[in-house]
């Protein structure tokens, strides 16, 4: 597929879904958070080593550092965690990404195995969306509705991420784009561009 005007529309549509999903998820987390959740997360993230292990473990569990990063942004946005507390978890998440590939290659597990595919956010997000919408529409307790909002928000932002990824896929086949990404001689400039 070639990059065209519809790819740009899909990219911005995906960004809109991503941001909207983030808002719904953050609102749900804010409403459903209680002292117990805050206490447990604060205890885990207080120790840098545990925070690193927690980030790696979460990423291995959901097979996506992007999903873990998004969850952390939601927790910071809703005031449950402070930004400083998430840095070690984010580092652990990046370690977890490499661990996932390493574990799968060591075990020689084929990616067609259904339970492995079910662990991928793009595959379990629709199921979470269904559970989320049932909770939002049918639950009587406000806490259950908020939990449904978290699930629904996460699913929407995962859909947005998938849309953005699909829209940008044609760029991977363009040698000019690859050349542009590797053209930075200055590492600092490369880091700034990567951050942007």
């Amino acid at each position: 597929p070639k990059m065209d005007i519809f790819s740009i529309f899909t990219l911005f549509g995906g960004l809109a879904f991503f941001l909207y999903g983030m808002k719904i998820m953050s609102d749900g987390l804010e409403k459903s958070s209680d002292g117990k959740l805050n206490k447990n997360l604060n205890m885990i993230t207080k120790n840098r080593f545990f925070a690193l292990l927690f980030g790696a473990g979460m990423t291995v569990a959901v097979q996506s550092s992007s999903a873990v990063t998004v969850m952390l942004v939601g927790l910071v946005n809703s005031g449950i965690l402070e930004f400083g507390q998430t840095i070690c978890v984010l580092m652990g998440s990046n370690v977890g990404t490499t661990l996932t590939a390493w574990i799968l290659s060591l075990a020689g597990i084929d990616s067609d195995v259904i339970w492995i595919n079910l662990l991928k956010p793009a595959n379990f997000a629709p199921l979470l969306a269904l559970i989320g919408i049932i909770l939002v529409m049918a639950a009587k307790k406000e806490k259950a509705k908020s939990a449904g909002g978290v699930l629904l928000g996460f699913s929407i932002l995962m859909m947005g991420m998938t849309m953005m990824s699909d829209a940008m896929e044609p760029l991977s086949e363009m040698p000019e784009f690859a050349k542009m990404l590797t053209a930075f001689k200055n590492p600092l400039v490369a880091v700034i561009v990567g951050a942007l």
Side-chain angles (χ1 to χ4, degrees), residues 106-148:
L106 261 186
I109 299 168
D110 188 15
S111 61
D112 289 336
V113 177
I114 193 161
W115 65 268
I116 291 175
N117 282 324
L118 269 175
L119 290 172
K120 293 177 183 175
N123 294 335
F124 69 67
L127 183 62
L128 292 184
L130 179 64
I131 296 166
I133 199 71
I134 289 168
L135 286 172
V136 168
M137 293 176 77
K140 290 185 173 121
K141 290 184 180 175
E142 208 50 49
K143 210 161 197 179
K145 281 184 186 288
S146 300

Side-chain angles (χ1 to χ4, degrees), residues 11-164:
L11 176 67
F12 285 111
L15 180 62
F17 275 117
F18 180 85
L19 294 172
Y20 182 60
M22 177 67 72
K23 186 180 183 331
I24 294 174
M25 192 176 87
S26 295
D27 290 348
L29 280 168
E30 204 169 332
K31 286 175 189 169
S32 64
S33 71
D34 54 14
K36 203 173 181 183
L37 175 68
N38 293 24
K39 192 179 174 185
N40 288 341
L41 285 171
N42 281 314
M43 192 173 71
I44 291 166
T45 55
K46 197 179 278 185
N47 182 306
R48 290 176 184 175
F49 181 69
F50 284 137
L52 197 81
L53 286 179
F54 178 68
M58 283 286 290
T59 304
V60 169
V62 299
Q63 291 196 15
S64 172
S65 59
S66 302
V68 173
T69 303
V70 159
M71 283 185 235
L72 290 171
V73 170
L75 289 167
V76 171
N77 204 28
S78 58
I80 295 169
L81 288 177
E82 290 177 14
F83 173 68
Q85 292 175 285
T86 63
I87 292 170
C88 286
V89 184
L90 282 168
M91 287 179 181
S93 176
N94 287 305
V95 171
T97 299
T98 58
L99 277 176
T100 304
W102 187 67
I103 289 166
L104 290 177
S105 65
L106 261 186
I109 299 168
D110 188 15
S111 61
D112 289 336
V113 177
I114 193 161
W115 65 268
I116 291 175
N117 282 324
L118 269 175
L119 290 172
K120 293 177 183 175
N123 294 335
F124 69 67
L127 183 62
L128 292 184
L130 179 64
I131 296 166
I133 199 71
I134 289 168
L135 286 172
V136 168
M137 293 176 77
K140 290 185 173 121
K141 290 184 180 175
E142 208 50 49
K143 210 161 197 179
K145 281 184 186 288
S146 300
V150 172
L151 295 176
L152 200 54
F154 180 75
S155 304
I156 291 169
L157 69 84
M158 286 311 299
M159 191 172 85
M161 277 174 66
T162 305
M163 284 173 72
M164 287 189 284

